[in-house]
Amino acid sequence: EVQLVESGGGLVQRGGSLRLSCAASGFTFSTYAMNWVRQVPGKGLEWVSYIGDSGSTIYYADSVKGRFTISRDNAKNSLYLEMNSLRAEDTAVYSCARVLNGGEEAFDLWGHGTMVTVSS
Amino acid sequence: DIVMTQTPLSSPVTLGQPASISCRSSQSLVHSDGNTYLSWLQQRPGQPPRLLIYKLSNRFSGVPDRFTGSGAGTDFTLKISRVEAEDVGVYYCMQATQFPFTFGPGTKVDIK
C-alpha cells in the first residue's frame, strides 16, 4: 500500500527538541521530493520545509529557519524533521507530504500526521 | 511571500447544486517555465488533505469530473458542478510557484 506514516511527536517543554520521522512505503521514495506541513487542530495548513529527491535541495519557512532541519535517508525510505528551540507556536500536527512526480509541484500523498505539543 | 486569500470562508450548499470557491494570490503564479503551480486540496473531517487539482486545471487521478479548476495569473476558481454529501470539508488552494509554498485560509463547505 502506498502510504506515509509519521511518528515522533509528543509533549515537550519550550526550548526543547524533538525528531519527527516519516516512513514511506509502496513507492520508490528516492525519486520523490518531500515536504513537512503543519496544522494547528481546527486551523489551516502551513508549509514548513521541502527537500528534493536526493536531499541536496532544501527550503524552510521563515518561521522555522535556523531551528528546524529536514533530512532524508533514501536507503531507509524515511524523511525526518529535527526540531530545536521549540516554541509554543510550534504546537501543531506535523504531516509529511509527497510532491507529485514530473515536476508538477503539488502534494499528492499525505500522512495522517503526528501531534507536537510545546508546553510553556 | 505570496499571500493566498479565499472567498467565501464558509459555503453552505444544497445537495445537487453547484458551488464555487475563489482563490486570489498577492502576485502572479505564472512560473518562469510558463506553468501556474496552483493546486486545490480537500480536507474531509478527521482526514489528511487530498489533492484534487494541480497545475491550475489538471484533475488528479480518481477525482470526480464534477471538480473543475480554472483561472489565470492571480485569480483562480474551484467549481463543483453538483455537490454531493461526500464533498463536505475544507478546501484549500496552494501555490507552489515560489518558495515559501503558501496555502489559502481554507473554505468550509457544508450542506444546508
Side-chain angles (χ1 to χ4, degrees):
Chain A
E1 182 185 358
V2 176
Q3 62 178 354
L4 298 169
V5 179
E6 302 89 343
S7 61
L11 177 64
V12 62
Q13 285 192 332
R14 183 177 55 187
S17 300
L18 273 179
R19 188 194 197 209
L20 306 183
S21 299
C22 168
S25 59
F27 63 97
T28 307
F29 179 71
S30 61
T31 64
Y32 288 84
M34 298 292 297
N35 296 266
W36 286 99
V37 177
R38 66 186 182 185
Q39 184 173 32
V40 175
K43 302 297 184 183
L45 300 166
E46 181 188 10
W47 173 79
V48 173
S49 185
Y50 165 102
I51 187 168
D53 55 2
S54 68
S56 58
T57 302
I58 287 175
Y59 293 94
Y60 297 99
D62 285 347
S63 58
V64 306
K65 201 174 294 182
R67 301 186 300 120
F68 290 11
T69 301
I70 191 171
S71 62
R72 65 190 296 162
D73 185 335
N74 286 342
K76 294 184 177 179
N77 294 327
S78 292
L79 175 72
Y80 306 102
L81 187 67
E82 187 77 38
M83 309 164 68
N84 298 315
S85 303
L86 282 161
R87 306 167 179 168
E89 55 266 35
D90 295 320
T91 295
V93 174
Y94 286 74
S95 300
C96 52
R98 185 180 77 173
V99 176
L100 180 60
N101 236 350
E104 306 293 12
E105 306 300 350
F107 298 174
D108 72 328
L109 179 66
W110 295 66
H112 280 80
T114 186
M115 183 72 204
V116 171
T117 303
V118 183
S119 66
S120 52
Chain B
D1 297 3
I2 298 176
V3 178
M4 306 296 289
T5 56
Q6 288 181 232
T7 54
L9 296 182
S10 180
S11 180
V13 296
T14 301
L15 287 174
Q17 293 301 302
S20 180
I21 301 170
S22 294
C23 172
R24 180 167 288 181
S25 57
S26 61
Q27 56 188 272
S28 174
L29 295 187
V30 180
H31 193 275
S32 57
D33 65 8
N35 291 307
T36 298
Y37 295 109
L38 185 283
S39 57
W40 289 94
L41 302 114
Q42 174 198 62
Q43 188 172 31
R44 291 170 173 153
Q47 295 297 312
R50 168 197 178 201
L51 179 64
L52 297 176
I53 303 289
Y54 65 95
K55 221 162 62 175
L56 185 62
S57 59
N58 295 271
R59 204 174 293 115
F60 186 57
S61 175
V63 174
D65 60 8
R66 64 179 182 275
F67 291 94
T68 302
S70 63
T74 61
D75 288 285
F76 313 98
T77 304
L78 176 70
K79 291 183 179 176
I80 310 174
S81 58
R82 292 174 304 280
V83 172
E84 298 189 4
E86 65 179 20
D87 299 336
V88 166
V90 181
Y91 291 76
Y92 297 93
C93 58
M94 184 196 115
Q95 71 80 20
T97 291
Q98 175 185 122
F99 286 100
F101 295 162
T102 46
F103 294 90
T107 295
K108 185 176 182 179
V109 172
D110 58 12
I111 305 301
K112 280 183 185 174

